[in-house]
């Protein structure tokens, strides 16, 4: 009888101590949360909601594209892997919103998204309306053409009076306007539609970034990358975009990104999804 009593007391003590301990942790993390919410609320609000709202335009392999995974259509890609790694660090779930690229940039600025992850180039112009993290990828510019026109287009000048496509709202619009000044710019919201126009011959060229161009060419035997040099602008590197006023989230993301980059994770994500995007074709 005595023994049982003793154990009961010990057990009760453990339970009480345990409760105190966890009570303390909850208390202190709640205090931390409210103090950071006072200084800058974005990060704390996201953690409290347990979900981060991410905008993208999933027409951009290997960074974001649709693929069948275990029988269901899903958004996959290097940006998706990166966002998942970030969400894990933050301890939150991800809510994706897949729209046209220009729509995504607009809803980001309106504050309807917590971040935009879509191979977004951190340009000086965009910095007037949104925040950017560190860069995580440096692209090059390519021109996708019909394979049969390889000999016809060997210089930007060969596109004189021709139609050259770019995604609506992308920096490629500006590149066509400045570097293909004698061509006619055709801006369309979704990249697969631009690709179709090149295939059908209603567009003569399409400016896309290197990985994306290579991916669409891998999926379409009748397309090729023209032997034409497009100059890079200074600010086309990919970053995560945030609405203004998200400085606390920006700082946190920079810490996480620096770690992912140092660990070689981003390169790993790009390589893995490059394979995935290009195999899908076969
Ligand atoms: N890097 C280019 C830009 O920022 C193109 C990005 C397009 N992204 C996409 N997911 N379609 O304008």
């Amino acid at each position: 009888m005595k023994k049982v009593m003793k154990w009961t007391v010990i057990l009760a003590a453990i339970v009480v101590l345990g409760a105190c301990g966890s009570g303390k942790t909850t208390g202190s993390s709640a205090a931390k949360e409210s103090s950071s919410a006072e200084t800058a609320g974005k990060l704390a609000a996201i953690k409290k909601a347990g979900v981060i709202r991410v905008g993208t335009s999933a027409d951009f392999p290997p960074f974001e594209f649709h693929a069948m995974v275990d029988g269901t259509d899903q958004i996959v890609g290097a940006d998706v892997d990166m966002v998942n790694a970030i969400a894990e660090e933050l301890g939150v779930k991800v809510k994706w919103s897949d729209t046209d690229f220009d729509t995504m940039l607009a809803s980001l600025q309106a504050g309807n998204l917590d971040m935009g992850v879509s191979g977004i180039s951190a340009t000086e112009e965009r910095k007037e309306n949104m925040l950017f993290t560190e860069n995580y990828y440096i692209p090059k510019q390519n021109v996708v053409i019909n394979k049969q026109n390889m000999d016809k287009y060997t210089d930007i000048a060969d596109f004189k009076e021709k139609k050259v496509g770019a995604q609506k709202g992308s920096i490629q619009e500006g590149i066509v306007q400045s570097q293909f000044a004698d061509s006619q710019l055709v801006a369309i919201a979704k990249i697969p539609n631009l690709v179709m126009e090149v295939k059908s011959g209603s567009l003569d060229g399409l400016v896309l970034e290197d990985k994306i161009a290579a991916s669409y060419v891998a999926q379409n035997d009748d397309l090729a990358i023209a032997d034409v040099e497009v100059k890079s602008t200074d600010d086309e590197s990919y970053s995560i975009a945030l609405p203004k006023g998200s400085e606390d989230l920006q700082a946190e993301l920079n810490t996480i990104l620096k770690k992912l980059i140092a660990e070689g994770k981003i390169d790993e994500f790009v390589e893995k999804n490059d394979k995935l995007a290009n195999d899908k074709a076969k």
Side-chain angles (χ1 to χ4, degrees), residues 42 53 105-114 242-244 246:
K42 273 295 172 73
R53 300 165 303 164
L105 290 180
S107 37
L108 182 84
Q109 284 173 56
N112 298 328
L113 297 167
D114 298 313
L242 311 163
K244 285 227 161 151
S246 317

Side-chain angles (χ1 to χ4, degrees), residues 56-61 63-64 79 99-101 104-105 117-123 126 139 141 167-173 189-191 209 212 235-238:
T56 199
S57 171
D59 58 356
F60 207 66
F63 291 92
E64 44 268 331
D79 279 346
T99 64
D100 291 345
F101 186 69
M104 182 272 300
L105 290 180
V117 186
S118 202
I120 305 172
S121 301
T123 67
R126 287 178 181 157
Q141 307 300 326
Q167 181 166 38
K168 216 169 156 198
S170 74
I171 63 164
Q172 282 69 38
E173 268 190 306
K190 279 284 181 189
I191 297 174
E209 275 145 2
I212 297 83
D235 52 10
E236 54 198 32
S237 293
Y238 299 171

